Every structure is written in C-alpha cells, then in structure tokens.
Amino acid sequence: MPDHDSTTLLTRQTKRRRVDIGVKRTVGSPIFTRARETLFDSMNQSHGSNQDGDCSLVSHGHSGTNSDGEKSNVLRKLLKRANSYEDTIMPFPGATIISQLLKNNIGKNGGSDSGFQGSGALSSGGSEIQAEDACSNSSRDQDSPSDCLSPGPPLPPSSSSSSFGRPPPPSNLNSHAPPQPLCLSSFDLDRLSDEHLRAKRARVENIIRGMSHSPLVRPNGSDHNQESNRENENSSNNSTSSNDHRGDGNSHNTSSHNHIRSNCPSSLLSSPGSRGGVVGVGEVYRENKRKQRLPQQQHSFTQLVCSRQEQRQEERRQLKLQLEDMQKQLRQLQEKFYQIYDSETEEEEENGESGEVDRGGEREEDGNLSEDSIRSDGLEERHRDRGRHSHDELSELDPGLFLDRARALLREQALLDGDIEEDVDGREEEEDRNGERVMKRRGEAAGRRGGGRQLAETLKQELNCAVSQVVDTVVKGFSSPKQAVSHHLGCHSNTPAAPSSSSNSSSSCPPPFGPLPSLTPDSRFGSGALALTLNGDGSPTPNYHSSNQRLHCFGDVIVPSPLDSFSGLSGRLSGVHTPNDQTEALPLVVRKNGGGGGGENIHPSLPPPPPPPHHPSLHPSPLTASLGFSPPSFRHPFPLPLMGYPFQSPLGSHGGGAGYPPGAKDHHRSSPDSMDMTRETVSLRTKMAALGGGHLSHHHHRQSSPSQHGPEGLSLSLIKSECGDLQDIADISPYSGSTIQEGLSPNHLKKAKLMFFYTRYPSSNMLKMYFSDVKFNRCITSQLIKWFSNFREFYYIQMEKFARQAINEGVTAAEELSVGRDAELFRALNMHYNKANDFEVPDRFLEVAQVTLREFFNAIVAGKDADPSWKKAIYKVICKLDSEVPEVFKSPNCLQELLHD
DNA sequence: GGTATTCCTG
DNA sequence: CAGGAATACC
C-alpha cells in the first residue's frame, strides 16, 4: 500500500477506534446487563454465583447487593467483556485468533494495530462516518480490511480498558486465558458462538458474493461511491457510510429490515463496504479472482498463476471480512439478547434516543465506567451503536446478514417455542426501535425467560454450528487455496444468492440474507462444515464440539502466525500462494497450464521452499486431524488432489472408491485435478521417480489410508501430464473414477512385473483390463508397454547371458539346460521381477524361461547371433508362450492378495 | 502419420 | 526404469 494508504489507515483506525468504543458501550449498555440478568436468571441461577465471581473482575459498583443486581452486573461485565473482546479480542480462541490475525494482517499491511488502537481511542466519535469511510477504504485496500477490523479491537480497548482496567492487548491475552471463558461461560460463549456463526455466515455470504460478482478491477478510487450507492440501493438509509451508520441505528429503530439491509449492504457488499468502497473494487476484484480461480482449477491452471498476488490480497480481505463478520455476528447476538431481554431498558432507550450526539462520549464513558449509566442510553442507542459499530468497525461485515440470521434463528426458535415467537417479534420491533414495543416486551420478558433460555440454547447451538462452519471454511481456505476456492465455488453452487454477483452488489445483500435463515445452515455454508443446524434442530452439539476443536486448532494455528503467515496461508490455500508458499503447489498448477511458461514461472518461486512461511503452528496436527486436513494441506495449496492420486496406486489400494479415505475423497473433490495435473505435467516420467519419493510421501502422509502405495504412487500419474491431454486431466478428476488413478504407481510396476511371469507380451487391451484402476491414456499405455518392453529386454539379456555362459561352460546340448527355482538364471530373474520374493513364481514361467534359454543356446550355437535380427525368431517363439494371467491381477488389490498368499 | 518394438544410453 | 533414436508395421 502506498504511504497515503497508511496514513489513511491510521486515520481510519483512529476513527474506527472511536466507533468501536461506541460499540462497546452499546455492548456494555444496560440493556445487555438486563439481558444478561434475565439470561442468567433463566439460564442458571446456580452458575450465576460463579459467573458473578468471574465477572467480579469488572467492578460491580452499581449493581445492588441483590442477586439480580449482581447478575446484571455480571451480565454487563460479560457483555462488556464480550464487546471489549470483540473489539480487542474475543475470549474465544477463534475470536482471539481472528483478532490476532487481523492485527497481524494489519501489521503486515503496514498499519500498526497498536498505533491504531492508541490513536483510535483518541479519535473523537465525531468522525464515525469518516471512520467508516476509512474502514471502507482500508477494506478496499487489501490490507485495509484488517485495519477496519483492527479498529474494532482497538475501540474496545478504550472503553474496555477503562471499564475493565485492562489494556487492550493484555485483555486480548487474557481473553485467551481460560478464566474469561469461564466468566463468559454460557452467555458469553453463546454470544461469541453466535457471532462466530454469524461471522461465518457473513464470510460465506461475502465469499459467495465475491464469487457471484463478475471479476472487477480493483477499484482504488470509486469504492466509496460504490459502497454508498450500493447502500442506497439496498434501501437502507445509507447514502453515505457515515450516514449509513447513524442511519442504520435509526433505520433499526424504524424497521429491522432496513437495519438489516443497511447493514447487509455494508457488510455483504461492503464488506465490501468497508473494503468497500473498497468492496466495490475489492469485492469485485476478489470475485474476479475467485471466479477465475474456479475456472482455472477446473479448466486450466495457467490462470491461477496469473493472479496470485491478487488472490492473496483477496484472501486477506476475505479473512478480514470474516473476522469482521464474526464480530458483527457477535454484536448482533448481543443485540438480540438485549432485545429479547431488554424490556427494562425501554425507558432508557427512549432517553438514549434523545441524544445520539451525546452518545458518543457517553457511550464510551458508560461502557467503561458503569453499565448502569450505559443503560440510560437505551436500546436505540444500542442499535445505533450497533449500526455504527457494524458499519464503522465492521463496515465490511454485513450487519444485515447478521440480523437476518439472528432473526432467522429467533424465528426458528420461536417456531420451536411459541413463546419465543413473541419474543422474536418483539426483537424485530425493537430493532425497529419501537420503544413502545420494548415496553410491552418487558411485561413479556418475564414470561419469556423460559423462551429466552430456549433462545439462548438455540442461539448457542446455532452459534456453535456457525462457528464450526466458519472455522472449517476458514481452515479449509487456509489449508488449501484451492479448497478455499472450492469452498467459494461450493458456496456459489449451494447458495442461490451467490449466482448473480452483480445483482448481489446492489440488492444481493438482502436477498441472501432473507433466505439465509433457511439456507444458512447447510446450503450457504456449503462447505461440509456448514452442515450447521442453525435451527438447533439438528446437531448443534456435535457441531459444537467440532467447532470448538476446530477453533482451538485454528487458534493454535492462526494465532501464532502473524498476518504474514496468515497471508501466506491464505495465499497457499487460495492457490494465490505467496512466492514462498507457492513453492509447492503453484508449480504444479502452473505446469499444467502449459507445461509452459506461466506455470513454470510460478514454480520458480516454489523452489525456494518457504521455510519461514509455514509456522509450525500451522501444521498443527490437531487441525489436520480435527479438520481432516492433512498437515501437508496447509503447506500445499492443493493437498487434496494430491491425496487422491497417491491412493490410487493400484497395488495398495484400491478399491476403487474405497481406496480413498472418505475424507480424502472429499478433499479431492475440491481441487485434486489441479494438483495432479500440475504434478503430472511437471514431472514427466523421469520426474515421476523423483516425485515419487517426495510427492508420494506427501500423499501418504496426507492420506491416512495406509495404502500400500508407497510414496511413489504419484510418479506415474505425472505421465499423464506429459501426454498433455487436458481431457486426461479432466478425467483424472478425483471423482471421476471411483479410484482410478491417473498415473502408474510403484505398485502398478510391481504388479506388472509379477504379470510378466505370466505374459511377456501383453496387449494394450490386456493391460487395460488388468490395470483397471488406472485411467488409461496414451502416456499410461505407452508406459505400461514400455515397462514390459524393459522387462523383456532384461529377460532376454539374461537368457542370452546364461546361454553364452552355458556354452562357455561346455554345455553341448540344449537339453542339458534346465531352469529350476534354484537356478542362477531364475534367481536373477526372480530378483528382478520379484525382488521381495513374496510372490510364488508360476512353474509355467520356469518352463518358458527354460525354453527361452535353450532357444538362445541353440541360436548361438548355430551361429545365428551373427544376424543382427537373430533374436527376432526367438521373440516370435517366446511370445507364443504367454499364458493367461490370473484373474487376481485384475483386482486393484491384487498385490495385497498375491503377496499375502 | 501413428503405433509398437527394439536398441542404446543414462 | 525412462528417454531417445531407429526401425518395422499398419
């Protein structure tokens, strides 16, 4: 980024900080406290004490001695924490990770989080709009997103730090620490999870949008305008980002829909928005890249090479956006809770509405100083704050999406519980900012609490699912660029909204969201991870666990890695590959393209294996294990494809589809082809051997399956590339053949050698029959034929050698020559074709060998060897001695069977 | 012209 | 064991 960008970033950050602070307040606002109280009351009274204790960290000051008061305090604290966390760092590992990532990214970008935070707090609230713009700008910039995100954390710091007395950074650290989680316990966790879920959703949506959108040139300038336009289009109030934020708040009051939409545009599009204006450019750009990538993967690898950097940036942006989304989601969740439980706050809300201007200062103070004071702000303020926060801080994120999701969730819950329905409606109304309804709610609130619990549970479940999905998606993305792409693709396919990018830009946000509730769970998040059951119908728990694990893993991986690592990961994953990262994956891809230049060019970077890029943390087994990703995947953008091939090795595996481990297959789906292709293209037969070692090893590791294939399995696959048939590549597609391998593996070679005991002159058709697990193409066929040719060569050489030896030894009659299992000739042959001697050579082979030896003996004795083509007669004889190859060899697993026997 | 095989080389 | 060249066959 140019210097000016950095400066802008700083300004943005400062602004953002402000915004964040304001947001924090909102979070910390009394409403939250009440919500907390209600939640706690309903949720667990027993836990309350503990939580209080935990929460005690925050000053209880206001709350009365009453348990309720304590609870409220606790809730407030929790909320504050959550807010502070959101801004600073999420208590969740994932959140923390994200925050860290964002920070790291920022750092990479050149922006200094710390500096921002410090300055950010400083910035006055007056520039919220600007802050938004800045965010959008920053978001626009690839790096900028992080900046926007970063602000979030920073903002809280001021409030959080003041309120909590923690410095933002420490808070982050602390947040990671277990104690906080404890404090947060159910409620915070729920919120966090919700936010995560939302964030995931938002990410997915963003991704989808990006996918859908036609590739755009990065817009440096018009982003803001675009954003504003989009926002306007969306209908929400936002003519401008600044207006939007405030307007959002208002809009929320007026109508939840508006709020959502406004948010949506900003978040979705904008995530755009913040990236926003950037989005306009950034998103489009991303989209373009994504689209290109997809086609590239599927169609050709060359394109991939072209836009590495762009992809990287996009990935960064996406990551940032995701983080932002997550934060937004969390906020939304909080809001929901507030709405649900806030009946009390109604009064305050009205008051709060009176002065938005004051809010800025008050909020900060309130958030920091006392929750009670915050209450005075009222729901509206919260909304406003929310809107601001979302727009300002998370401008990129789509608050609308979150809201929609939240609504959907609420609705679902309502469906589950009639009581809840009312609550939901109330929420919406609250969103609308109808203070009156809020008041009504209060009355209901008491009754609701039961519903509130349910809601909380449902929200938790949904959050868990969403988090898990998000984590999965993120991890996948990181793990392999292609995967990420695939995910994106998947999202597209899955998400109806995704299809039209352009449409999405203007109105896309709302539509996607609207459908989200229903779609969200599975379809949207497309990635298998998505399987969330937002409704909570399903498997929240399993998902939850998975999510947690994933989060941990993710956290482990990500947290340590600075943005660089992140970017590297993203690049790796995306396939954009930073030069370092790309080392492995890209080359392959490139190769494919043309054998040519583009790919190769990329490769160069690869060679210098990126030692630093890969953080040890990245490889963490846990992730791979939990996620199912193989560690290599992280390194290799295209791990999946590779995995598939290795397994394919005839010997081991096989078993058709069975050969692949389920997980592996799934991975392959994403983008195995590219990998294989590239590899194949890259390494020809010659290379195959070399590759066999390295690649195969990778495959092996990746593939949990213990296929016999050694590391070499892949080598042969490369041949295909040589053939250069795109079709082949396409065919290679991991899925196409259940377990059909593109190339020949060492096992295949071994199998061929064993087959040589039966047939010295196999026909191509015969080979196809017996190597059914291999996808035959010219190259493969030629290679197999070449193998047998080589076998024959060795065979005849040995025959001639021993025939002459016999002659030299004084053997006069061919009859004297016999080939037994103890014969030196046989041992030589067996050593060559059955080195392990784990296969029982058929007697027929001994007979043929004896015949061959005698033919050579006779020919030599007869002096026929003078004729240059004297061996042809012998070949002609021997070729007739081929015997049927046992059916066993037709089985891909024949080696295992044969060897075991 | 393409394929298959052999021979030679590494 | 693969690549390349040469040769033979279709």
Side-chain angles (χ1 to χ4, degrees):
Chain A
M1 295 299 289
D3 294 349
H4 76 277
D5 292 347
S6 64
T7 57
T8 57
L9 292 174
L10 293 175
T11 57
R12 293 176 185 175
Q13 289 174 347
T14 58
K15 292 177 181 178
R16 289 178 185 175
R17 288 178 184 175
R18 293 179 186 174
V19 173
D20 293 352
I21 293 166
V23 173
K24 288 180 180 179
R25 287 184 185 174
T26 57
V27 174
S29 65
I31 295 168
F32 287 93
T33 58
R34 289 218 168 177
R36 290 177 184 176
E37 290 177 353
T38 57
L39 291 174
F40 281 33
D41 293 346
S42 64
M43 295 299 288
N44 356 329
Q45 293 175 345
S46 64
H47 293 287
S49 63
N50 294 344
Q51 292 175 346
D52 291 349
D54 293 349
C55 295
S56 64
L57 295 177
V58 176
S59 63
H60 291 285
H62 298 288
S63 63
T65 58
N66 293 347
S67 62
D68 292 351
E70 291 177 353
K71 290 179 181 178
S72 64
N73 289 341
V74 172
L75 292 173
R76 291 177 183 175
K77 292 176 181 178
L78 293 174
L79 292 175
K80 287 180 179 178
R81 287 181 182 176
N83 292 341
S84 65
Y85 290 120
E86 291 175 354
D87 294 349
T88 60
I89 293 170
M90 295 302 291
F92 271 96
T96 56
I97 293 166
I98 293 167
S99 63
Q100 290 178 348
L101 292 175
L102 292 175
K103 289 181 179 179
N104 293 338
N105 290 337
I106 292 167
K108 290 181 178 179
N109 292 343
S112 63
D113 293 350
S114 63
F116 287 109
Q117 291 174 348
S119 66
L122 299 178
S123 64
S124 63
S127 65
E128 290 177 353
I129 295 168
Q130 291 176 348
E132 291 176 353
D133 293 351
C135 293
S136 66
N137 291 342
S138 65
S139 65
R140 291 176 184 174
D141 294 353
Q142 294 171 344
D143 295 350
S144 63
S146 65
D147 294 348
C148 294
L149 295 177
S150 66
L155 294 177
S158 63
S159 65
S160 67
S161 64
S162 64
S163 64
F164 294 90
R166 299 178 189 166
S171 66
N172 294 346
L173 297 177
N174 292 344
S175 65
H176 292 289
Q180 291 177 345
L182 294 176
C183 295
L184 296 177
S185 70
S186 64
F187 184 81
D188 289 4
L189 293 176
D190 292 348
R191 287 186 303 169
L192 293 175
S193 63
D194 290 346
E195 289 180 351
H196 287 290
L197 293 174
R198 290 178 182 177
K200 288 181 178 179
R201 291 179 182 175
R203 289 180 182 177
V204 173
E205 290 175 355
N206 290 340
I207 292 167
I208 293 167
R209 288 182 180 177
M211 297 298 289
S212 64
H213 290 288
S214 62
L216 297 181
V217 175
R218 284 186 181 176
N220 290 338
S222 62
D223 294 350
H224 294 285
N225 294 342
Q226 291 175 345
E227 290 178 354
S228 64
N229 292 343
R230 289 180 182 176
E231 289 176 355
N232 292 343
E233 289 177 355
N234 291 344
S235 73
S236 57
N237 355 343
N238 320 334
S239 61
T240 61
S241 64
S242 63
N243 293 343
D244 293 349
H245 293 293
R246 292 181 183 177
D248 290 349
N250 295 340
S251 66
H252 290 290
N253 293 342
T254 56
S255 66
S256 63
H257 293 286
N258 291 346
H259 171 72
I260 293 167
R261 287 179 183 178
S262 64
N263 290 346
C264 294
S266 65
S267 64
L268 294 180
L269 294 182
S270 77
S271 11
S274 48
R275 11 174 179 160
V278 175
V279 172
V281 175
E283 286 181 354
V284 173
Y285 181 76
R286 292 178 182 175
E287 291 176 355
N288 291 345
K289 290 178 180 179
R290 292 176 184 174
K291 290 178 179 180
Q292 289 175 350
R293 288 181 182 178
L294 294 176
Q296 288 175 347
Q297 290 176 345
Q298 293 174 345
H299 299 289
S300 66
F301 299 90
T302 56
Q303 292 176 345
L304 293 176
V305 174
C306 297
S307 63
R308 291 180 185 173
Q309 292 177 346
E310 291 178 355
Q311 289 176 348
R312 292 178 185 173
Q313 291 176 349
E314 288 179 355
E315 289 177 351
R316 289 181 182 176
R317 291 179 182 176
Q318 290 176 351
L319 291 173
K320 290 178 181 179
L321 293 174
Q322 289 178 349
L323 290 174
E324 291 177 354
D325 292 343
M326 296 289 288
Q327 290 177 349
K328 288 182 179 179
Q329 288 179 350
L330 290 173
R331 291 178 184 175
Q332 289 178 348
L333 290 173
Q334 290 177 349
E335 290 178 354
K336 289 179 180 178
F337 285 103
Y338 291 155
Q339 291 175 349
I340 294 167
Y341 299 97
D342 282 349
S343 61
E344 292 177 355
T345 58
E346 292 173 353
E347 294 175 355
E348 293 176 352
E349 289 178 352
E350 292 176 353
N351 294 341
E353 289 178 354
S354 62
E356 291 178 354
V357 174
D358 292 350
R359 277 188 290 162
E362 289 178 355
R363 288 179 184 175
E364 291 177 354
E365 291 177 355
D366 292 349
N368 294 340
L369 297 178
S370 66
E371 294 173 354
D372 293 352
S373 64
I374 294 167
R375 286 184 182 178
S376 64
D377 291 348
L379 295 178
E380 289 180 354
E381 289 181 353
R382 291 179 185 175
H383 291 289
R384 292 176 183 176
D385 292 351
R386 292 176 185 175
R388 290 180 182 177
H389 290 292
S390 63
H391 292 290
D392 295 347
E393 292 175 356
L394 301 178
S395 61
E396 292 179 356
L397 297 181
D398 293 352
L401 294 176
F402 291 101
L403 293 175
D404 292 349
R405 291 180 181 176
R407 289 179 181 177
L409 294 173
L410 293 174
R411 289 178 182 176
E412 291 176 351
Q413 290 177 348
L415 294 175
L416 296 175
D417 297 345
D419 294 348
I420 295 168
E421 290 178 353
E422 293 177 355
D423 293 346
V424 172
D425 293 348
R427 294 177 189 171
E428 292 177 353
E429 290 176 356
E430 287 178 353
E431 290 177 353
D432 295 349
R433 291 189 180 178
N434 293 340
E436 293 178 353
R437 290 187 179 180
V438 174
M439 297 297 290
K440 291 178 180 178
R441 277 193 179 180
R442 289 181 182 176
E444 294 177 353
R448 290 180 187 173
R449 291 181 182 178
R453 290 180 183 177
Q454 293 175 348
L455 290 173
E457 291 177 353
T458 56
L459 290 173
K460 288 179 180 179
Q461 292 175 349
E462 291 178 353
L463 289 173
N464 291 337
C465 296
V467 171
S468 64
Q469 291 176 348
V470 171
V471 172
D472 292 349
T473 56
V474 172
V475 172
K476 288 180 181 178
F478 288 102
S479 65
S480 66
K482 287 185 178 179
Q483 288 177 346
V485 173
S486 67
H487 288 291
H488 294 294
L489 294 176
C491 293
H492 283 289
S493 64
N494 292 346
T495 59
S500 65
S501 62
S502 63
S503 65
N504 290 348
S505 64
S506 63
S507 63
S508 63
C509 295
F513 295 123
L516 285 182
S518 63
L519 296 178
T520 50
D522 297 328
S523 63
R524 286 200 176 181
F525 295 77
S527 60
L530 294 185
L532 312 183
T533 56
L534 295 179
N535 295 343
D537 305 348
S539 54
T541 56
N543 291 346
Y544 179 80
H545 293 290
S546 64
S547 65
N548 290 345
Q549 292 174 348
R550 291 177 183 175
L551 291 175
H552 291 292
C553 296
F554 191 76
D556 293 350
V557 174
I558 294 168
V559 170
S561 66
L563 294 182
D564 293 347
S565 64
F566 217 105
S567 65
L569 292 177
S570 66
R572 294 173 186 174
L573 296 178
S574 64
V576 173
H577 308 299
T578 58
N580 292 345
D581 294 348
Q582 291 174 344
T583 58
E584 293 176 356
L586 290 179
L588 294 177
V589 174
V590 173
R591 284 254 170 163
K592 196 176 178 186
N593 289 344
E600 290 177 354
N601 292 344
I602 293 168
H603 294 287
S605 64
L606 297 180
H614 303 288
H615 295 277
S617 64
L618 294 178
H619 297 289
S621 62
L623 288 178
T624 58
S626 64
L627 296 179
F629 293 95
S630 60
S633 65
F634 289 96
R635 293 180 181 176
H636 299 278
F638 313 95
L640 297 181
L642 293 179
M643 297 199 45
Y645 295 100
F647 290 117
Q648 293 173 346
S649 66
L651 293 180
S653 57
H654 324 309
Y660 298 91
K665 288 181 179 178
D666 294 350
H667 292 289
H668 292 291
R669 290 177 185 176
S670 63
S671 63
D673 295 357
S674 63
M675 291 298 289
D676 294 347
M677 293 300 294
T678 58
R679 289 183 181 177
E680 291 177 354
T681 57
V682 171
S683 64
L684 299 180
R685 294 175 185 175
T686 56
K687 291 180 180 179
M688 292 176 64
L691 293 179
H695 293 289
L696 293 179
S697 65
H698 289 291
H699 295 294
H700 263 307
H701 294 292
R702 292 177 184 174
Q703 299 169 344
S704 60
S705 68
S707 61
Q708 292 175 343
H709 314 300
E712 296 174 354
L714 296 180
S715 63
L716 295 180
S717 64
L718 296 178
I719 294 168
K720 265 192 163 184
S721 61
E722 288 182 354
C723 295
D725 293 352
L726 295 178
Q727 294 176 346
D728 293 347
I729 295 167
D731 294 350
I732 292 167
S733 66
Y735 309 102
S736 63
S738 61
T739 57
I740 294 171
Q741 294 179 344
E742 296 174 354
L744 295 172
S745 67
N747 287 333
H748 287 119
L749 178 61
K750 186 173 184 178
K751 179 180 179 179
K753 287 181 176 179
L754 295 179
M755 288 177 66
F756 184 78
F757 288 122
Y758 298 92
T759 181
R760 269 63 60 186
Y761 293 88
S763 65
S764 60
N765 290 335
M766 182 181 200
L767 292 174
K768 290 178 182 177
M769 290 178 65
Y770 285 90
F771 291 91
S772 61
D773 60 339
V774 175
K775 184 177 184 177
F776 274 82
N777 56 33
R778 293 176 184 175
C779 293
I780 297 295
T781 302
S782 298
Q783 186 173 3
L784 274 172
I785 292 171
K786 179 73 176 178
W787 281 357
F788 278 88
S789 176
N790 289 333
F791 298 159
R792 288 193 297 270
E793 184 178 10
F794 177 82
Y795 174 81
Y796 290 123
I797 290 171
Q798 295 300 316
M799 293 296 169
E800 181 179 1
K801 175 184 175 182
F802 281 89
R804 294 184 182 279
Q805 183 175 340
I807 294 170
N808 292 336
E809 291 177 352
V811 176
T812 57
E815 289 73 12
E816 294 178 1
L817 296 174
S818 65
V819 177
R821 294 183 183 277
D822 58 350
E824 193 172 345
L825 174 60
F826 174 80
R827 286 187 293 174
L829 294 173
N830 190 55
M831 195 64 174
H832 187 74
Y833 306 112
N834 184 24
K835 190 169 187 177
N837 195 29
D838 51 1
F839 177 78
E840 183 177 358
V841 178
D843 293 338
R844 173 66 177 171
F845 178 76
L846 293 174
E847 296 175 2
V848 173
Q850 181 171 301
V851 171
T852 306
L853 180 60
R854 292 181 179 179
E855 288 293 328
F856 271 91
F857 177 86
N858 291 331
I860 293 169
V861 170
K864 294 179 181 178
D865 56 348
D867 183 352
S869 61
W870 64 282
K871 292 180 182 179
K872 287 185 179 179
I874 296 172
Y875 298 157
K876 189 173 182 179
V877 173
I878 300 304
C879 71
K880 294 178 181 178
L881 299 178
D882 283 358
S883 59
E884 292 272 335
V885 177
E887 293 295 324
V888 177
F889 285 90
K890 291 182 180 178
S891 170
N893 296 329
C894 66
L895 289 178
Q896 293 176 349
E897 296 176 358
L898 294 172
L899 296 178
H900 289 293
D901 294 345

